[in-house]
Each structure stands twice: as C-alpha cells, then as structure tokens.
Amino acid sequence: MAVSEKRARRPYGLFVKCGHRVIASDPVHAPLRLFAPESGRWKTKVGVPAPATANVVPSDQVQSVLETWVGGEGTLEKTVRQLESSLPRVSEAYAKCVWGHTGALPYLEFLLEFEKRFQRIERELITLRSSCVAVISTFAPEPYDVLRPIYATLRQSDGEEYCASFTDANLHSSGDNEEEAIDNLKSLILDVYDSLTCEKPEDLGPEPVKQLAVLQSFLAKRANGVHPG
Amino acid sequence: MVFTQDDARKIAKKLGAKIEQGKRRHDLAVFRYQDKRIAQFGIRRASKEVGHGHLPDELFISPHQCRDLGNCPLSLEGYVAILRSKHKILDPQTP
C-alpha cells in the first residue's frame, strides 16, 4: 500500500491511499471521511464529535453516529465490520508514516484520532450490549403470580446465542434469540423454584437458601394451581 | 469460552450431581455436599448443541476453572475447596 499525499479539489485534504484507493482523509484540515470499499465511493463528509454521554445513547443514535463516522449503511453490525476492516489498512498507513514519509505528521494525527474514535465506539457498544434489560411480568399460563417485575439482563454470547440472566437469583439460560432466551429463563426460574420449595430448609446450603428467598420475594405459586382466564 | 449441554452433563457426572427431570424445558443438575444442596444448574433439553455459557456463574467458578472441571485437571476435592473459600460450603461447626 502506498501512502501518498495529494491535494483535494477543495482547499483542504490530505489523503491516505491504498493502491488507487483513498482510504482516509486528514481531519486536521478536513472533515473525517473514510472510503467504503464495497461501493468504491466516499459516502460521508462530516466528522461528528463523540457524544459526551455515550453510555446513555440509544443504539439507533450510536448507529447514526457510526454511519456518519464511517460512512456505512444498513445494520450496526455491518457498520462495525466496515470499521474493523478499515483498521488494519489504516494501521499499515500509520506504520509507513512512522518511517518518515514526507508530510507524515498530518497522517499521524489523523490515525491517532481514528484509533481513539474506534476505541470509544467499542466502549459504547459494550455498554449498550450489557445494559439490555427485559422485564418478566407474567408466567402465564403457568399458575404462578409475579409479586413484582423481574428484571432480566440480556446479552449476546458466543457470537450467535443470547444469554438471559436473573442475576439476583443467579439463574441463567440461553437461546437462539432474545425471546427464546427469556422464555428459557422463565422456564428455569419455575423449575428451580419448584425444586427448592420441595427441599427441607435444613438441607439447603447458603446459596440455595438465598436463591429461594429471592425467588419467593418475586413469585408465588397459586394455591389452587390454576391460572385465571 | 464455549460450553454446551455435553459439558454440563460431563460436569454433573463428575460432581455426582443428581439430575432432576424438570417439568418444562430443562433438566436440573443438583450438586449436594454432605447432604446439603450447594449448587444447581439447568441443562437445556435440545437435540442440537446449545450454549451453556452460564455454567461458570451457576457453579461459582471462573470459565477457566469450569473448563478444568469438565476436562479433569480440577478434581471434585479441588472444586469443593474453591467453594469453601467462597463460603458457598460452610465448614461443619466443631463443638
């Protein structure tokens, strides 16, 4: 890959080239732009400053920010993949800049800024992914009453699977999608509840005692064993 | 680190956990030590391989220790020692 410098048609612009392709521009003098390899075109011109309250930004807003930063389209995952695929080439450009290419300083500044933005996006995504919560408010048609809503955390694990957790009771289950993971967790909660309530209290160790206490504060089996309606 | 229902059953066997047939979608592996119920974990009934990445949490150990437990380096005694150190198993009170 050749790192070269050329003047843009506009009065600003230093570009990093990969072969005949320009893969990044210099934000010191120009707004951030990245090359989208699949379309072969520039898609965005505007560099957007990182949101100050990244951990409360909804995913659609993060996607919007990502799309503006990277010029991606479609899903968040696609945008992230674009960003990841861009990074090695940018790093290569970075390495060549370090070895004394003429006019390397603006590239270095750009690349360091790029790296910071990438790390910031990673942190935002981890925060967003780990903060997804589902509320369990019913076990219908099972004959159990929910005494107060159960907040289950949902996270994607192992690439394709989703894991739902009721952390207070240390109960976890997984599924192919969010809905299945929650359904499996509900099923497990009832199975464990039934199993623990059948035990004599003196047969329970410290953790099952705690689990049973937590479960009894969140749900109760209906006395007649029938779900209304 | 990926765990499947096969890993879960292997660990249950190693711990001598009793498998209770749940009424719904899971079997429940119940681990007892000195007649006390110490831990349990759900094993999903599925024909295909399904993830059980939550096993370490339910067994109160790290993913690495969980892998060792399934693949032999960590013995039952070793596991019990870990649980004791975390106060998940209480020492019998001496008179």
Side-chain angles (χ1 to χ4, degrees):
Chain A
M1 185 181 76
V3 177
S4 63
E5 181 178 322
K6 80 172 191 183
R7 287 282 158 202
R9 273 169 272 171
R10 294 189 183 84
Y12 49 72
L14 294 169
F15 293 8
V16 179
K17 286 186 80 178
C18 176
H20 294 297
R21 288 180 167 182
V22 182
I23 61 166
S25 68
D26 172 16
V28 176
H29 305 291
L32 174 63
R33 295 196 294 169
L34 287 176
F35 190 77
E38 73 279 12
S39 66
R41 289 187 290 121
W42 291 94
K43 287 183 179 176
T44 187
K45 296 178 181 178
V46 183
V48 177
T53 52
N55 57 343
V56 293
V57 178
S59 59
D60 57 341
Q61 283 186 30
V62 170
Q63 179 162 345
S64 157
V65 170
L66 280 168
E67 283 175 1
T68 315
W69 279 350
V70 188
E73 286 177 342
T75 64
L76 180 62
E77 287 75 16
K78 187 180 171 191
T79 307
V80 171
R81 277 202 299 276
Q82 276 185 359
L83 185 58
E84 284 172 339
S85 67
S86 299
L87 197 61
R89 286 177 292 162
V90 174
S91 298
E92 196 178 336
Y94 178 88
K96 294 202 175 187
C97 287
V98 170
W99 288 103
H101 188 272
T102 310
L105 187 59
Y107 297 130
L108 279 171
E109 287 172 344
F110 159 69
L111 292 168
L112 288 171
E113 178 67 17
F114 183 94
E115 195 176 347
K116 277 185 202 164
R117 287 183 177 190
F118 184 83
Q119 287 168 352
R120 195 155 44 203
I121 291 165
E122 262 191 339
R123 282 199 301 272
E124 284 173 12
L125 287 175
I126 289 167
T127 306
L128 286 167
R129 188 173 282 181
S130 62
S131 64
C132 184
V133 173
V135 182
I136 298 172
S137 53
T138 177
F139 285 101
E142 299 276 1
Y144 294 82
D145 287 322
V146 176
L147 305 178
R148 54 192 170 124
I150 296 171
Y151 292 93
T153 54
L154 264 170
R155 64 187 161 85
Q156 199 169 10
S157 61
D158 305 335
E160 292 179 356
E161 285 224 329
Y162 286 83
C163 184
S165 301
F166 178 23
T167 313
D168 286 346
N170 191 26
L171 293 175
H172 316 263
S173 193
S174 53
D176 291 340
N177 51 50
E178 292 102 322
E179 191 184 22
E180 192 179 300
I182 289 292
D183 273 351
N184 286 335
L185 178 64
K186 286 167 76 173
S187 153
L188 182 67
I189 287 172
L190 296 183
D191 280 339
V192 171
Y193 178 84
D194 286 345
S195 176
L196 288 174
T197 48
C198 287
E199 296 270 2
K200 293 177 191 164
E202 61 269 25
D203 289 344
L204 298 178
E207 191 65 21
V209 165
K210 180 182 146 199
Q211 282 180 310
L212 181 59
V214 169
L215 288 173
Q216 284 176 331
S217 72
F218 279 92
L219 67 142
K221 190 167 187 175
R222 202 163 288 127
N224 59 6
V226 178
H227 193 272
Chain B
M1 208 170 278
V2 180
F3 297 98
T4 66
Q5 70 265 45
D6 288 342
D7 295 311
R9 290 192 187 280
K10 202 192 293 182
I11 289 171
K13 189 175 176 186
K14 181 165 180 177
L15 297 180
K18 184 183 168 195
I19 306 286
E20 294 181 1
Q21 304 289 320
K23 293 178 193 165
R24 300 167 186 88
R25 301 177 189 180
H26 296 82
D27 289 334
L28 206 57
V30 179
F31 169 60
R32 289 173 196 277
Y33 185 75
Q34 294 177 342
D35 298 328
K36 292 260 187 204
R37 180 169 177 152
I38 303 300
Q40 76 264 310
F41 51 93
I43 305 175
R44 271 169 70 193
R45 296 190 205 108
S47 50
K48 64 169 187 171
E49 197 171 71
V50 289
H52 283 63
H54 41 81
L55 268 178
D57 294 323
E58 291 171 314
L59 291 167
F60 318 115
I61 51 180
S62 70
H64 189 76
Q65 289 169 328
C66 192
R67 177 60 68 208
D68 283 353
L69 188 60
N71 293 341
C72 282
L74 181 60
S75 65
L76 174 59
E77 291 72 25
Y79 175 61
V80 167
I82 291 170
L83 293 188
R84 269 192 215 284
S85 71
K86 294 182 177 181
H87 306 290
K88 304 296 180 189
I89 293 178
L90 300 180
D91 287 321
Q93 299 212 337
T94 49

